[in-house]
Amino acid sequence: FRGFAATIKSTKNSIASCKKQLALHGKIPTIVFATDFNNNHGYTQNQRVEVAQVEAEPLMSVEEIKNKYADLLEE
């Protein structure tokens, strides 16, 4: 088996390359490609979510809102 390791690796890489081209050209569904690569080629799907704290502006009072939009109320 060890004598064939390089050949097997090269063959797997060639197959993976063909699958990538098929997916890029729409010949196979992307979900099929992604699942295949996760199961057969050592890829993983990771999702990273970052949450940042943002300073909120203070709420406007009713009077401030009326003043801001007074010209709209006159029409």
Side-chain angles (χ1 to χ4, degrees):
F1 178 72
R2 288 186 180 164
F4 295 105
T7 302
I8 292 170
K9 184 176 180 178
S10 176
T11 303
K12 279 184 149 184
N13 286 338
S14 295
I15 292 169
S17 177
C18 289
K19 289 177 184 177
K20 283 181 188 179
Q21 290 301 314
L22 289 171
L24 287 172
H25 294 289
K27 303 293 183 186
I28 59 173
T30 54
I31 190 66
V32 172
F33 168 76
T35 303
D36 178 65
F37 263 55
N38 289 340
N39 294 332
N40 300 315
H41 298 284
Y43 284 67
T44 59
Q45 293 181 13
N46 297 320
Q47 184 176 23
R48 184 176 173 182
V49 178
E50 293 184 22
V51 179
Q53 184 174 353
V54 178
E55 293 293 325
E57 294 182 22
L59 295 176
M60 295 171 62
S61 70
V62 174
E63 288 302 318
E64 289 173 323
I65 294 171
K66 283 182 183 177
N67 292 336
K68 183 174 181 177
Y69 297 104
D71 58 328
L72 294 177
L73 294 174
E74 292 174 1
E75 293 177 8

